[in-house]
Amino acid sequence: MATTNVLVRIGSREMSIACSQGMLVQELRYVLGSAFEIEAKHIAGLISEKGVCSPLSLVARAPEAFGGSRYALLIKPEAFADAEPDDQAVAPPPPPLRTGRRSRRRRRRVLA
């Protein structure tokens, strides 16, 4: 089987990923995740310089179609869910409930 090098980038980082026809989608996903230090489950596909999104299954089936251009990594939106600031303020926990018991300190009675 022939191997095709696909140029993939995230920001300023660019890597050449070796792909062969018929490679497993999960294998490609894990290679991309390891190369860019991203959880594999968040990788959805590639985006061409013209903005065309391609699923990883197409890249795995026909990598030779992706050999001549540069592609950005397509990341699922949930990958950024933890990074976004929370718009709603979290309410502080309620104060502890009073049980009705008096404190253990005994009150001193003043004898007159």
Side-chain angles (χ1 to χ4, degrees):
M1 270 189 238
T3 303
T4 302
N5 290 331
V6 179
L7 288 174
V8 182
R9 67 173 170 77
I10 291 182
S12 61
R13 277 183 74 185
E14 186 172 277
M15 305 285 267
S16 181
I17 306 297
C19 302
S20 61
Q21 188 175 9
M23 114 185 259
L24 298 173
V25 174
Q26 281 302 97
E27 182 181 16
L28 179 57
R29 183 173 280 125
Y30 287 124
V31 168
L32 288 166
S34 295
F36 291 102
E37 299 174 6
I38 295 175
E39 283 189 63
K41 68 181 182 179
H42 295 306
I43 300 171
L46 301 179
I47 306 171
S48 73
E49 291 176 328
K50 293 183 179 181
V52 177
C53 298
S54 301
L56 287 183
S57 59
L58 181 59
V59 180
R61 207 170 330 165
E64 64 278 358
F66 296 86
S69 299
R70 288 189 168 101
Y71 296 88
L73 201 56
L74 178 60
I75 307 293
K76 296 177 186 178
E78 58 263 23
F80 304 103
D82 293 335
E84 294 178 6
D86 193 9
D87 291 339
Q88 298 178 355
V90 177
L97 296 175
R98 294 181 150 221
T99 60
R101 291 184 183 173
R102 291 186 178 189
S103 67
R104 292 185 177 211
R105 290 189 328 190
R106 291 186 180 179
R107 295 185 185 180
R108 294 184 184 176
R109 292 186 184 194
V110 178
L111 299 174

